């Protein structure tokens, strides 16, 4: 079982370019999440999806879009990258969106640098 | 979800017990206390969670104060592989998001 995979592992991107970060899980989890992690700021939620076909905005959604066409995949798109989007991006999933006991599983992360 | 407060950093000697504190004075009666940790260059991973009673698993123990306004993650014998950032998070029945703060960075000294 692979769990959650993310691609690419790292990327250097010119400002203004479009970029899609890929996330795939094989655990049949309904809920998926995208976080960014910046030094000194911890993990911040960008977008989430409670189930296939639905998405929602987190704390820092501006400049990012997501889609959830099926259960397994949850891509994150930067339509026109800016240097402030330089960060480490983590994808995560849970079996269900709600409830206080379910645990969240994280992917290995994508390190993105926007120049 | 209510917020938590943790020290920014802590140090421990290898093979010594480590007590990582977390304050959550605004916790509600139905909030669960979760702990995650993030090893260097990896995504966070689940450690343990509890509601009222102390909890033990193969990774750690969770001690919850009687008034539930604070909790302590206990690593019984710290190893170098335990060096990580530890996050204390509250989870409610109504919220569907995890709010990670900046956590506690644990350094284990050989």
């Amino acid at each position: 079982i692979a769990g959650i995979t993310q691609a690419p592992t790292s990327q250097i991107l010119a400002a203004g370019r479009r970029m899609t970060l890929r996330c795939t899980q094989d655990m049949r989890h309904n809920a998926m999440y995208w976080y960014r992690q910046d030094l000194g700021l911890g993990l911040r939620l960008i977008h989430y999806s409670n189930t296939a076909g639905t998405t929602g905005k987190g704390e820092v959604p501006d400049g990012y879009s997501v889609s959830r066409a099926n259960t397994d995949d949850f891509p994150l798109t930067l339509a026109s990258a800016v240097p402030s989007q330089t960060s480490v991006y983590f994808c995560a999933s849970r079996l269900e969106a709600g409830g206080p006991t379910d645990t969240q599983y994280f992917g290995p992360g994508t390190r993105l640098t926007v120049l | 979800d209510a917020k938590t407060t943790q020290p920014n950093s802590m140090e421990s000697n290898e093979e010594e017990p480590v007590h990582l504190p977390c304050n959550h004075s605004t916790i509600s009666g139905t909030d669960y206390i979760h702990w995650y940790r993030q090893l260097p260059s990896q995504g966070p991973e689940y450690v343990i969670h509890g509601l009222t009673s102390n909890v033990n698993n193969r990774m750690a123990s969770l001690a919850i104060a009687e008034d539930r306004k604070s909790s302590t993650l206990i690593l019984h014998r710290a190893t170098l592989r335990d060096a990580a950032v530890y996050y204390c998070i509250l989870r409610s029945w109504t919220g569907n998001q995890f709010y990670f703060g900046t956590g506690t960075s644990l350094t284990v000294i050989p």
Side-chain angles (χ1 to χ4, degrees):
Chain A
I1 296 177
I4 299 178
T5 57
Q6 293 185 235
T9 302
S10 65
Q11 181 76 44
I12 298 174
L13 188 67
R17 296 297 295 269
R18 180 185 180 89
M19 175 73 191
T20 296
L21 307 185
R22 300 185 298 277
C23 174
T24 299
Q25 54 100 358
D26 62 3
M27 298 177 283
R28 306 303 294 170
H29 284 176
N30 282 316
M32 296 187 74
Y33 308 83
W34 274 105
Y35 294 88
R36 60 177 289 174
Q37 186 170 37
D38 305 294
L39 194 64
L41 293 177
L43 283 154
R44 293 182 293 168
L45 183 66
I46 305 170
H47 285 287
Y48 64 92
S49 169
N50 290 338
T51 189
T54 69
T55 61
K57 294 181 179 180
E59 295 178 73
V60 288
D62 295 342
Y64 305 94
S65 63
V66 292
S67 61
R68 187 88 184 277
N70 57 59
T71 297
D72 299 344
D73 301 301
F74 190 42
L76 176 74
T77 297
L78 290 65
S80 180
V82 295
S84 62
Q85 292 177 310
T86 294
S87 188
V88 180
Y89 291 86
F90 289 100
C91 180
S93 73
R94 295 176 73 199
L95 181 59
E96 299 293 344
T101 61
D102 205 9
T103 60
Q104 199 165 84
Y105 298 85
F106 285 80
T110 293
R111 182 174 296 276
L112 181 67
T113 302
V114 183
L115 301 176
Chain B
D1 293 312
K3 297 298 174 64
T4 62
T5 303
Q6 300 177 252
N8 287 333
S9 62
M10 291 185 65
E11 286 186 352
S12 173
N13 293 319
E14 192 176 11
E15 299 192 4
E16 295 286 322
V18 183
H19 291 236
L20 298 165
C22 181
N23 287 319
H24 29 79
S25 58
T26 60
I27 191 171
S28 75
T30 55
D31 284 346
Y32 279 72
I33 302 159
H34 285 244
W35 283 82
Y36 282 70
R37 73 177 185 179
Q38 186 174 18
L39 302 171
S41 300
Q42 294 188 28
E45 62 178 355
Y46 167 80
V47 177
I48 200 166
H49 76 274
L51 181 62
T52 55
S53 303
N54 295 344
V55 183
N56 300 295
N57 66 21
R58 63 174 182 83
M59 292 180 70
S61 296
L62 176 60
I64 301 172
E66 194 169 336
D67 64 4
R68 298 199 342 113
K69 293 184 184 299
S70 66
S71 61
T72 302
L73 180 71
I74 302 167
L75 307 179
H76 295 285
R77 289 183 64 212
T79 70
L80 297 178
R81 290 174 295 178
D82 291 322
V85 177
Y86 288 79
Y87 298 95
C88 170
I89 302 160
L90 300 183
R91 292 286 299 125
S92 69
W93 282 101
T94 56
N96 66 355
Q97 300 180 23
F98 282 65
Y99 289 98
F100 289 80
T102 52
T104 297
S105 178
L106 175 66
T107 300
V108 180
I109 302 168

